[in-house]
C-alpha cells in the first residue's frame, strides 16, 4: 500500500504491507535504526518517536495509519556534530549504560518538556491547572520508558538540566 | 500478525457500512490494544477499517449543560481539556492514572471503553480461555488469579475490565452514542454498555456487529469533591488492583470501582450508607473470592476510607 511519511523533514514514499508497524517502516524500510525495538508491545518505550508533535510508541501503530504525518526520530533531533540539547545532556550526565533505551528516552524527554510547557497535567499533579517541573512530575511522565541498566537518576539529571532546573 | 486488508473510512456511517459488509473486520483508531493483540494472534481480523480520519475528535458542550466527547478524542487531550479539568475532574484523574504518556497520546475515548481484559490467561494462547476461545474453559479459575474479579463473575470467566476511564464514565452516568450500517443512531447508558461474563464472556459490550461508537456524552457536572484513587503494584504504568472513583458533595455521594469486575462496578444502594465499612459490605455483597484475591475486599475498605477522608 502506497504510504507517504514525512520523516525528519524528508518526504518518503513507501509501498508497504499493511501489517508494517511505523517502527518497522522506520527501521527496515528507511534504515533509520536509531529507533529501537524492545518489547514490540508498547511496554518498554524503546520505540518512542514524535508524530505530529506528540510522542507515541511506534511499535503499536501501523505505518499506513500515518500517511502524510510528520515524524521525528532520534536522527532528526540532532547529529553527532550538532547534538540536540537533550542528547548533549544525556552525554554530560551519563544518562545511559548500554544505550539501547536511549533514543526512546530522549524522544520521550523532549516531548515531556513540551507537555509541561503546554500545561498538560499528570497523575502526580496536585492541581490539574498548575503544572510545574518537579522530580515527581518527570518520574511519572517518563514511566513509559524502561531502562534496565537503571540509569534513571542520571536520566532525570539530564532532563532537569535541559529544563533549566536543579536536579 | 495474520494478513489483513486495510481501508480508510471517511464518515461514521460509511465505516459502519464497511464493517457490515465484512464480518471479520475491526475498526482501528489508536490501535494500542488491538495491534498488541494482533501481534499475539489473539485478535485475527481479516480486514481493518481505519476510523482515524473521521470528524469525531471534538469536545463540545451539550444543550442540557453536559459534554459531548468525540469517539476519537485522545486520552491525553481529554484529560487536559479545560472543561473536563474544571467540571469533571474525576475523569481527568482516572485518565491520567492509566497507561503511559505515549499510550495516552494515541488511545481514544471509544477505544479505551473497548479495551480487552489483561487476564494473563486471555493473553496466553497455550491455555484455555472462554473469552478468547468460547467453550475452551477458564484457566484463571484454578490459576494465578490474584488480580482478577470478585464481583459478577461466572463459572466461565473471572476477568476484570482494565480501564480507569470507564470507571469514571460509570460514575458520571455517561452515555455511549453509536451509528449502525443503516445509519441508525442510538445512545447506550454506560451501565448497560459493558456486560457481565455469564456464559458468554466473549461478548463484552452491548454493541451490535458493525456498530461504531461516535461519541460519549456526559450529563451536567455534579458538584462536589472529585477523587480517583488507584491502588496498584507499582506507582505508575500498571493496571489497578482496586480503584475508587468518587464524588462527594452537597447532594450526596457516589462511587464506582475498578479492578472488581468484568465491568466498572457501581452499587447505587451503597451510596446511601455511611462510612467505609458499611459501603464496602454493600458493594461487595455476593463476592466470590479466591485465596489469592480475597485481599481485594479489605483493600477496597481501606481505599474507600482514604477516599472519604480526602473528600
Amino acid at each position: 500500500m502506497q504510504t507517504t511519511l514525512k520523516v525528519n523533514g524528508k518526504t518518503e514514499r513507501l509501498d508497504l504491507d499493511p501489517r508494517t508497524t511505523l517502527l518497522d517502516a522506520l527501521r527496515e524500510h528507511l534504515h533509520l535504526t536509531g529507533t529501537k525495538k524492545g518489547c514490540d508491545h508498547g511496554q518498554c518505550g524503546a520505540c518512542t518517536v514524535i508524530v505530529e508533535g506528540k510522542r507515541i510508541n511506534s511499535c503499536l501503530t501501523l505505518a499506513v495509519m500515518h500517511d502524510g504525518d510528520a515524524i521525528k526520530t532520534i536522527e532528526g533531533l540532532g547529529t553527532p556534530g550538532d547534538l540536540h540539547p537533550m542528547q548533549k545532556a544525556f552525554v554530560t550526565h551519563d544518562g545511559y549504560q548500554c544505550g539501547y533505551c536511549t533514543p526512546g528516552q530522549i524522544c520521550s524527554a523532549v516531548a515531556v518538556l513540551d507537555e509541561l510547557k503546554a500545561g498538560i497535567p499528570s497523575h502526580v499533579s496536585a492541581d490539574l491547572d498548575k503544572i510545574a517541573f518537579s522530580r515527581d512530575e518527570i518520574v511519572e511522565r517518563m514511566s513509559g520508558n524502561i531502562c534496565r541498566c537503571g540509569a534513571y537518576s542520571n536520566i532525570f539529571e539530564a532532563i532537569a538540566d535541559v529544563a533549566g532546573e536543579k536536579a | 500478525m495474520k494478513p489483513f486488508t486495510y481501508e480508510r473510512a471517511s464518515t461514521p456511517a460509511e465505516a459502519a457500512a464497511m464493517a457490515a459488509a465484512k464480518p471479520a473486520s475491526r475498526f482501528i483508531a489508536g490501535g494500542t490494544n488491538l495491534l498488541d493483540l494482533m501481534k499475539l494472534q489473539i485478535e485475527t481480523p481479516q480486514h481493518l477499517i481505519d476510523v482515524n480520519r473521521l470528524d469525531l475528535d471534538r469536545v463540545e458542550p451539550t444543550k442540557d449543560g453536559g459534554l459531548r466527547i468525540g469517539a476519537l478524542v485522545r486520552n491525553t487531550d481529554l484529560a487536559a481539556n479545560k472543561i473536563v479539568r474544571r467540571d469533571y475532574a474525576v475523569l481527568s484523574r482516572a485518565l491520567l492514572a492509566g497507561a503511559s504518556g505515549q499510550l495516552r497520546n494515541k488511545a481514544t475515548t471509544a477505544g479505551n471503553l473497548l479495551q480487552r481484559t489483561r487476564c494473563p490467561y486471555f493473553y496466553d494462547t497455550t491455555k484455555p480461555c472462554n473469552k478468547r476461545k468460547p467453550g475452551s474453559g477458564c484457566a484463571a479459575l484454578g490459576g494465578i488469579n490474584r488480580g482478577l474479579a470478585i464481583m459478577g463473575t461466572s463459572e466461565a470467566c473471572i476477568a476484570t475490565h482494565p480501564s480507569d476511564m470507564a470507571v469514571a464514565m460509570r460514575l458520571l452516568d455517561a452515555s455511549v452514542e453509536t451509528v449502525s450500517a443503516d445509519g441508525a443512531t442510538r445512545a447506550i447508558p454506560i451501565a448497560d454498555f459493558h456486560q457481565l461474563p455469564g456464559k458468554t464472556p466473549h461478548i463484552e459490550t452491548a454493541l451490535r456487529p458493525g456498530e461504531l461508537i461516535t461519541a460519549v456524552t456526559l450529563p451536567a457536572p455534579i458538584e462536589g469533591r472529585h477523587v480517583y484513587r488507584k491502588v496498584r503494584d507499582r506507582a505508575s504504568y500498571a493496571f489497578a488492583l482496586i480503584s475508587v472513583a468518587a464524588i462527594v458533595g452537597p447532594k450526596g455521594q457516589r462511587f464506582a470501582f475498578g479492578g472488581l469486575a468484568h465491568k466498572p462496578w457501581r452499587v447505587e444502594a451503597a451510596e446511601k450508607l455511611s462510612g467505609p465499612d458499611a459501603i464496602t459490605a454493600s458493594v461487595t455483597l455476593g463476592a466470590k473470592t479466591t485465596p489469592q484475591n480475597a485481599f481485594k475486599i479489605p483493600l477496597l475498605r481501606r481505599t474507600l476510607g482514604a477516599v472519604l477522608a480526602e473528600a
Side-chain angles (χ1 to χ4, degrees), chain A residues 125-139:
Chain A
S125 308
D127 184 331
L128 291 171
D129 296 318
K130 287 180 191 149
I131 309 306
F133 181 97
S134 72
R135 188 180 183 94
D136 282 354
E137 284 284 3
I138 298 302
V139 168

Side-chain angles (χ1 to χ4, degrees), chain A residues 63-133:
Chain A
V64 292
M65 289 160 64
H66 292 283
D67 190 43
D69 281 357
I71 294 144
K72 187 158 267 192
T73 70
I74 191 73
E75 291 92 343
L77 282 177
T79 59
D82 182 21
L83 295 178
H84 183 279
M86 192 64 79
Q87 291 172 313
K88 210 170 176 180
F90 268 65
V91 174
T92 304
H93 295 278
D94 206 12
Y96 45 79
Q97 194 179 114
C98 81
Y100 197 79
C101 72
T102 310
Q105 297 278 1
I106 290 176
C107 285
S108 210
V110 167
V112 160
L113 294 185
D114 288 343
E115 288 163 19
L116 282 171
K117 268 185 212 148
I120 292 169
S122 87
H123 175 61
V124 299
S125 308
D127 184 331
L128 291 171
D129 296 318
K130 287 180 191 149
I131 309 306
F133 181 97

